[in-house]
């Protein structure tokens, strides 16, 4: 069993890779029931698509148990993709070169800027009134 975490904004995903038949469970639900959009499903499966030519058997050999919380659905999906890439990297270090090309191991560190005192938002000032 291998374990890794993936993060994006305020989302955090924990990925457990165990031997199995190639199923992905997100928060105790099959991932097709958790994510309805086909494009977002492709984002999650993207690390497998990259290594498919040489390691086609890999996806059918393991089950992935994922717990994700925080943020919105898009942020959670990127966190899951980040975590899956990291756990596959622990399985085989030879994937590093391909994952680096597509920037899958790099954590996207952008977060929402905090609100400051005297402003409406982080940088939005109150509207000036002449009269």
């Amino acid at each position: 069993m291998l374990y890794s975490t993936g993060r994006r904004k305020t989302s955090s995903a924990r990925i457990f890779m165990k031997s199995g038949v190639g199923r992905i469970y997100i928060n105790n639900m099959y991932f097709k029931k958790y994510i309805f959009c086909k494009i977002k499903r492709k984002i999650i499966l993207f690390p497998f698509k990259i290594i498919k030519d040489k390691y086609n058997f890999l996806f059918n050999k393991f089950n992935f148990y994922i717990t994700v919380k925080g943020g919105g659905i898009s942020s959670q999906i990127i966190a899951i993709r980040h975590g899956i890439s990291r756990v596959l990297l622990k399985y085989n270090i030879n994937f590093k070169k391909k994952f680096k090309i597509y920037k899958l191991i790099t954590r996207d560190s952008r977060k929402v800027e905090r609100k400051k005192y005297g402003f409406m938002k982080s940088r939005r000032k109150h509207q000036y009134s002449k009269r």
Side-chain angles (χ1 to χ4, degrees):
M1 181 178 93
L2 292 172
Y3 165 77
S4 185
T5 58
R7 292 189 185 91
R8 166 82 165 99
K9 287 189 177 180
T10 56
S11 298
S12 180
R14 300 182 320 160
I15 288 57
F16 299 93
M17 186 168 96
K18 298 179 184 177
S19 58
V21 292
R23 295 205 166 223
I24 299 175
Y25 295 97
I26 302 172
N27 294 343
N28 297 323
M29 293 173 68
Y30 188 58
F31 88 109
K32 287 187 177 179
K33 287 189 176 182
Y34 189 81
I35 299 158
F36 296 106
C37 183
K38 289 181 182 178
I39 296 167
K40 292 182 179 179
R41 281 188 218 151
K42 283 185 180 182
I43 292 171
I44 288 177
L45 298 174
F46 188 65
F48 299 108
K49 187 180 178 187
I50 292 171
I51 58 173
K52 189 175 182 182
D53 34 323
K54 284 188 179 179
Y55 301 93
N56 195 19
F57 67 92
L58 189 65
F59 182 69
N60 298 328
K61 199 174 176 183
F62 296 103
N63 283 350
F64 291 87
Y65 299 94
I66 302 166
T67 55
V68 64
K69 54 182 151 183
I73 190 75
S74 295
S75 178
Q76 286 182 356
I77 286 165
I78 302 296
I80 291 169
R81 184 184 72 176
H82 181 234
I84 287 174
S85 335
R86 287 178 68 182
V87 81
L88 287 173
L89 200 65
K90 282 184 180 178
Y91 177 73
N92 189 347
I93 197 71
N94 297 331
F95 299 150
K96 189 171 186 173
K97 198 171 188 180
K98 282 197 171 190
F99 285 166
K100 264 203 157 168
I101 292 169
Y102 293 100
K103 299 179 181 174
L104 293 178
I105 358 172
T106 310
R107 191 232 194 267
D108 191 356
S109 62
R110 295 176 294 169
K111 286 192 174 183
V112 177
E113 192 175 340
R114 78 169 202 85
K115 183 193 176 300
K116 279 86 171 184
Y117 174 75
F119 288 77
M120 293 177 80
K121 290 167 74 175
S122 63
R123 298 183 184 203
R124 169 87 166 93
K125 296 181 176 106
H126 290 283
Q127 188 170 349
Y128 172 71
S129 175
K130 194 168 185 178
R131 286 173 191 84

